[in-house]
Amino acid sequence: MPGGDTRTVTSFSPHPLYVAEASGCRLVDVDGNVYLDLLGNYTSMIHGHAHPEIVAAITAQAARGTGYAAGTEHAVELAELMVDRVPGLDAIRFCNSGTEATLNAIRAARAATGRPGIVKFEGGYHGSHDTVEISVAPPLAAAGGADAPVAVPEEPGIPGSVIDEVSVAPFNDLGATERVVRSARPAAVIVEPLLGATGTIPPLPGFLAGIRSLCDEVGAVLIFDEVISLRLAVGGAEEWSGVRPDLATYGKIIGGGLPVGAFGGRADIMGMYAPPDPVLVQSGTFNANPLTMAAGAAAMRLLDAPAIHRLERMGARFAEGLAKAAVDAGIGAVVTGMGSLWTLHFTPADVVDYRTRAGADPALQRLFHLALLTEGVFSAPRGMFALSTVMTNDDIEEALDGIGRALASM
Ligand code: PMP
């Protein structure tokens, strides 16, 4: 593994962690240090680690085999759990990552419209395939005007022909988005209802509804990337924003901690996959593998409305304490997020999009992450925190104490 790493986001200097085991919201590294886990594998572990019901589901299925090249009852169960939760989800298909989910949803939108173009938002993260590894965290010098962002590939290796098909709009700026979408007339507009990797930034009132109307106006498919935002309501963003997309993509929590992705939505679009004569194919040796389906079904059963409301209450206390800790330490910072997902940005300015987030101080961000590790708190280097249902109020207070000490030491 080059540099000892096989997942870019998990490596940080000077010494990335290697974890030996985890249970509930505690991680133990290979040196025996214990951490309060406020990252949960980047929001996937919404029920903490090794949750007994999920372990039981995985164990029972493992003893019956882990893959058959055939349908299983577990896949039917998870599909039913999902379409029951999300009213606009007429049909769903499974894959193994959020990356595959957005790849397939975008392809379905292109097939449905016969158009090649895609509009995505600056700072939006949708996985690691070529079409979406564009303008995720572009250098501002190369990114063009704030209301007319340029499509900037994240790395070399993405063909110019792919970049040419992607138009980039500024999140939370409906006027600029209108100009971009009207001129691009794309197959799809893909949006994270809550801008995740850029800092759990909520949409401003009317922004998602505005994108919905625009898509209707130009005949584009609206794709909600719910890989992170599903956890914020039983029905995901469709419920908490009141806006129904044409397609949505899922991942992380719906696999109960195992590798997963899914996409689905309107019956007419998803019907293109239906046997016996599918227009679209979506193969994958491990699609809907029974271990993931069993774990995912257990996880989604556990994530009912009371569990989400409890997370929201703990989240409100956490967000309030996080903001206060920065004030107490005399550090200019703002908190953004919703429900159980929060980010501390080291900037005094309002954070509403990629550009305002890019004004945050990267040196303080890095110091904060390392100081938190010293305090026994595991978080995302980018300043994101994700709560889990196994946490207690005491865990939240313990986290806030650690955060307070970390900020004071800075
Ligand atoms: N979409 C969003 C919104 C994500 O946050 C992520 C992962 N962080 C992905 C897609 C890609 O998911 P995966 O890592 O499973 O490929």
Side-chain angles (χ1 to χ4, degrees):
M1 297 189 289
D5 176 52
T6 186
R7 181 180 176 191
T8 301
V9 81
T10 57
S11 187
F12 55 85
S13 63
H15 306 296
L17 287 194
Y18 283 70
V19 169
E21 60 180 293
S23 173
C25 56
R26 306 282 155 173
L27 292 174
V28 185
D29 72 15
V30 291
D31 299 316
N33 300 303
V34 180
Y35 303 86
L36 178 54
D37 185 7
L38 286 168
L39 182 52
N41 195 12
Y42 279 85
T43 79
S44 310
M45 309 305 300
I46 194 160
H47 302 302
H49 300 278
H51 189 287
E53 286 182 41
I54 298 175
V55 171
I58 294 173
T59 311
Q61 181 55 42
R64 293 178 170 82
T66 55
Y68 321 114
T72 66
E73 288 186 3
H74 288 309
V76 175
E77 185 188 6
L78 183 56
E80 282 176 350
L81 284 166
M82 291 298 296
V83 298
D84 285 348
R85 296 173 84 94
V86 185
L89 193 59
D90 299 331
I92 189 167
R93 283 177 78 91
F94 294 104
C95 46
N96 290 286
S97 64
T99 293
E100 289 172 63
T102 63
L103 184 152
N104 283 290
I106 287 172
R107 184 179 293 160
R110 284 173 164 153
T113 59
R115 302 176 186 175
I118 298 298
V119 170
K120 77 175 286 291
F121 289 88
E122 198 170 51
Y125 183 68
H126 306 289
S128 57
H129 59 95
D130 288 356
T131 304
V132 293
E133 278 270 26
I134 290 177
S135 295
V136 178
L140 288 184
D147 59 354
V150 172
V152 183
E154 285 300 298
E155 59 207 308
I158 298 177
S161 56
V162 172
I163 301 165
D164 289 347
E165 281 158 5
V166 178
S167 305
V168 178
F171 190 75
N172 271 336
D173 181 342
L174 191 56
T177 301
E178 279 169 1
R179 287 193 291 280
V180 173
V181 173
R182 285 188 182 133
S183 103
R185 301 189 73 76
V189 176
I190 183 164
V191 62
E192 290 175 88
L194 169 92
L195 203 54
T198 289
T200 58
I201 302 171
L204 292 172
F207 181 63
L208 296 176
I211 302 174
R212 173 71 274 175
S213 316
L214 260 179
C215 286
D216 293 340
E217 177 190 320
V218 304
V221 173
L222 175 58
I223 305 173
F224 273 3
D225 184 349
E226 291 258 50
V227 167
I228 286 185
S229 55
L230 176 68
R231 64 152 58 204
L232 298 172
V234 169
E238 179 177 329
E239 181 181 323
W240 60 256
S241 74
V243 175
R244 180 171 294 188
D246 301 298
L247 293 176
T249 55
Y250 303 96
K252 298 195 193 283
I253 62 169
I254 72 159
L258 296 185
V260 76
F263 62 103
R266 262 170 46 192
D268 59 324
I269 299 178
M270 295 307 290
M272 289 193 291
Y273 293 94
D277 296 310
V279 176
L280 287 171
V281 292
Q282 178 238 342
S283 293
T285 305
F286 297 107
N287 287 0
N289 74 81
L291 273 195
T292 296
M293 296 295 105
M300 296 318 283
R301 274 195 306 268
L302 288 167
L303 193 66
D304 55 10
I308 293 175
H309 292 146
R310 191 174 157 271
L311 277 173
E312 282 169 356
R313 284 195 299 277
M314 286 194 299
R317 164 66 192 137
F318 180 77
E320 168 204 276
L322 189 56
K324 182 172 180 301
V327 171
D328 289 350
I331 295 179
V334 294
V335 174
T336 63
M338 282 176 71
S340 51
L341 298 170
W342 298 96
T343 301
L344 186 67
H345 306 269
F346 290 97
T347 169
D350 266 2
V351 172
V352 293
D353 60 7
Y354 173 69
R355 305 274 170 130
T356 44
R357 157 67 188 191
D361 185 330
L364 282 181
Q365 196 77 63
R366 175 163 183 270
L367 207 53
F368 183 48
H369 175 239
L370 296 177
L372 282 175
L373 288 176
T374 309
E375 294 297 338
V377 175
F378 190 72
S379 66
R382 63 179 184 241
M384 182 186 70
F385 302 96
L387 307 187
S388 56
T389 58
V390 289
M391 287 178 175
T392 62
N393 292 337
D394 286 349
D395 293 322
I396 300 295
E397 297 309 320
E398 182 187 327
L400 291 172
D401 287 347
I403 288 167
R405 284 193 302 273
L407 288 168
S409 75
M410 288 161 61

